[in-house]
Amino acid sequence: ASLSRSDIAVVDGDTIQLRGEANGIRLVEFNTPETYKPVCRAGLDLGRWATAKLKQMVDQAAPRITRFRGKFALRRGHDALS
């Protein structure tokens, strides 16, 4: 399904929220440090960096969401972000 940028909210570096979906969607093969209840200051800093980077990637892309076997993949152009 094609989405506009306003349909996607970046929660953190490995989770997005889609308009109309009740729960956040964890991106396949993404694993970034938590920004909510971080383990340490360095983890928080890295988590914030990852969140900003994912926002940048979504903002600069024409995102597409693909559901496959109950999981979602976020794609932009021909590069998979999944």
Side-chain angles (χ1 to χ4, degrees), residues 28-75:
V28 178
E29 295 183 9
F30 275 50
N31 187 15
T32 64
E34 296 301 321
T35 55
Y36 177 74
K37 295 186 181 180
V39 175
C40 63
R41 177 61 191 212
L44 176 61
D45 291 344
L46 287 171
R48 287 179 175 163
W49 178 86
T51 301
K53 186 66 174 173
L54 182 56
K55 285 180 181 178
Q56 179 185 29
M57 292 168 76
V58 170
D59 285 344
Q60 293 176 350
R64 286 187 354 242
I65 298 292
T66 304
R67 188 186 301 235
F68 181 72
R69 295 186 181 168
K71 295 186 178 184
F72 288 90
L74 175 64
R75 301 178 186 279

Side-chain angles (χ1 to χ4, degrees), residues 1-8 16 18-19 21 25 58 61-68 71-77:
S2 292
L3 302 169
S4 69
R5 171 59 188 102
S6 63
D7 293 325
I8 303 171
I16 60 172
L18 296 181
R19 183 184 308 223
E21 290 287 326
I25 298 167
V58 170
R64 286 187 354 242
I65 298 292
T66 304
R67 188 186 301 235
F68 181 72
K71 295 186 178 184
F72 288 90
L74 175 64
R75 301 178 186 279
R76 62 185 183 128

